[in-house]
Amino acid sequence: MATLDPASLPPIANNPDVRFLGAQLGDVIRSYGGEALFEATEAIRRASVERHRGTGSSDSVHQQLQHLGLDETLDFVRGFMLFSMLANLAEDRQGVAADEGADVAAALATLAREGIDREVVQALLERALIVPVLTAHPTEVRRKSMIDHKNRIAQLMTLKDMGHDETPDGDRVDDAITRQIALLWQTRVLRRERLYVTDEVETALSYLREVFLPALPALYQRWDRAFGAEENGWRVPSFVRPGSWIGGDRDGNPFVTADSLRTALARACEAVLGFYLDGVHALGAELSISTEHVAVDPAVAALAEASGDTAESRADEPYRRALSGIYARLAATHQALTGKPAPHPGRLSGEPYPDPQMLRADLVALARGLSATEAGALKTSGALGRLIRAVETFGFHLATLDLRQNSAVHERVVAELLKVAGVEADYLALDEAARVALLRRELANARPLTSRFTDYSEETASELAIVQAAAEAHATYGPACITNYIVSMAQSVSDLLEINLLLKEVGLYRPGEPPHAAVMAVPLFETVGDLEAAPQVMRDWFALPEIAAIAAKRGHQEVMIGYSDSNKDGGYLTSTWQLSKASTALKPVFEAAGVGMQLFHGRGGAVGRGGGSAFAAIRAQPPGTVQGRIRITEQGEVIAAKYGTRESAMTNIEAIAAATLLASLEPERLSNTENDEFCAAMDALSDTAFHAYRDLVYGTDGFRTFFRQMTPIGEIAGLKIGSRPASRKKSDAIEDLRAIPWVFSWAQARVMLPGWYGVGQALAAYPDKGRLREMAEGWPLFAATLANMEMVLAKSDMAIAGHYAELVEDAGLREAIFGRIRDAWHQTHDGLLAVTGQTRLLDKHPALDASIRLRLPYIEPLNLLQIELMKRHRAGEADPRIGEGILLSINAVATALRNSG
């Protein structure tokens, strides 16, 4: 087993922002917590740092922690959590998480070097679609108030970078930063009540309104410049658009209803129309062009005349008059779509815009008028160009909202509808062929199955209400507001046809030659078995003539592949490989059908749920499977990390866009022989890893008890971080536990088991070590797989995990299972170093190494305190401060680890 002298590690890179913000936090703790708390915090910090440098012992950290009372413990945990939050902010500003070359301009340069013509890239973008989809998966432990204060500090740090000593309000910048940190210190960290769906809607809306709305038009301006839009007359299509599940994802969440769907859509519409109103108002102040100095384009003059703006002061200002009319029509649109008057309705009246295209047409008329006046500065897009881009991108709906439900629910609902309508008494008893035949007959018939005079079960009534609300949304906000219906645990063609049957009831699926489907049924293949069966399911799907016709007209069909459940089912390596194999196997199925393939990657924040660098992950996709179209879930704490500010959002969206271009157009890196050899090796590795993982998690007596006693899985339920229950069923079985709490719990205990277990056994058992080194050096998939696992291993700690294992009551069970985990960790660690040719973890990734090692001294004391508090809590101590301390420590550890869920 490899050992490493901590003193031999390189020094942690000095980040001046970390030092500055850390000193400010120390001053705040001293001022508001008192000198004693400051000294105790410093003593623990020094002892932990010395332990990690190899100059101190863990006993010293234990001794310092034992001197803390419960009140001091709560304050200490808050202090360490805030340091981690500020360190995250500092690193994001320094670009620690950014991938090299992860921007569109760099991708264009790379493609040009590889002989890919610019026209080829432009042709791809004409049919491209990239959608980051925000979900409410509960892994964000911080309250929005905490994130808001952090973002204000980031804005103030930007002023400091620019050399400003004062804020626009006249405060000294350093004083303003200290004030925000003091507010953080005095802000309650934990939620007192559980989140409701409406809370999740509002949280997502804040990111969409404050970040996506301004960031995406600015990015498009940058991309237009990269493509030379002004010179060649070609404008980058609006191929990046936001999506959301929040308010439409019902899988396992009984609190998402038709009312939730209506609320999510209405609030999004209100936000985007408000943004347009503000933009038009600002343009009215800016475009003071007078007919005394320029000739006016006829289209602009027509808009001015139709506006109803007869003010003498603007008689010679046609752009302002035209914008007054546009504003009035937008205000009327706001009233019509939201049922509320615009925030500043204005004195003019106008007809509501029937759709976003008509609004865009008016704005484009103004832009063409400006371009026609002179060949000067007004030809550039500016604020008007950004507003036009926003209307193209966001429409009247802001973000496309997906519907999602489990296939088992659809089966039951369809069975009830068919029985009540007298069509089929026992649909659930039919085999697959009979189900498909029956559903196709019903879909060819325009006759509805439902009757408003029938009392349906609560489940059926709820699902019918959802599709009815979706139909109303299409009529109100336009068809782009809901385009996909995700079927969780999809395993057959009938699972997809059932969606079309439900949509037919509300007119979103219409029989005909060909039929019309306004919403696409999308299978989600989640388990290892489902991924293996995916190609045959899609082959059978496209074999139906009516489905082939619908897909051909649309031009593409989406398939969603799930990282979380496949990992919980088969382990990290098998999940990664099966996802890649499924993508590869689906490609010829789509080619044979003549339909474009659009993959939707259900990734989480943690590596055990598909996390890690999106740039590297997309580039590692199998050749020919990206095709310029990709959707990716953005979940929990990842949303704040990637999209917390406009700058970070632009960096991350640009990375996804660049990776999509490269993955779609770069030549294949492996020869056919290399590909065959590497795939055979991965088959063998995956098989070994799968059996090792399954044997531990599902084949070991007592493992369920071991997991629930060692980790804080029971305590995590008290965090109130989501509206959705932690388990799909009322059961303590691992199979029924959702992937998020599964991964989150192992991260808290510093085991990170879902992100590596089984890989060490696989690497050790594979006989050709040279082949493994070749794969690590030359195959992006294997390289990315190892790189993500390496990060997980660096954040895990078997010594700390051993303390958590002591919580397991049965000593024999504890030693047997934890001994296997510890030995497998060391085997994985050593195998990884051997394959990658390193002497220590992250040797080739110094920035990430420094980032993680900066945090480790701050995480260990939090873990040790958490363990002690869990012991007292489980022993029956009733002091509420103990429970609060556990939840604070969970919050703090998650903040320090960053991608833990």
Side-chain angles (χ1 to χ4, degrees), residues 8 37 40 68 161 205 214 266 271 306 408 411 415 431 453 466 495 528 536 577 689 738 769:
S8 68
L37 175 64
L68 297 177
D161 292 341
L205 194 61
E411 287 180 348
D431 62 19
F453 302 108
I466 285 284
D495 289 337
V528 171
Q536 187 58 52
W577 181 228
R738 291 195 178 276
K769 308 303 183 192

Side-chain angles (χ1 to χ4, degrees), residues 49 433 441:
V49 168
R441 286 196 302 273

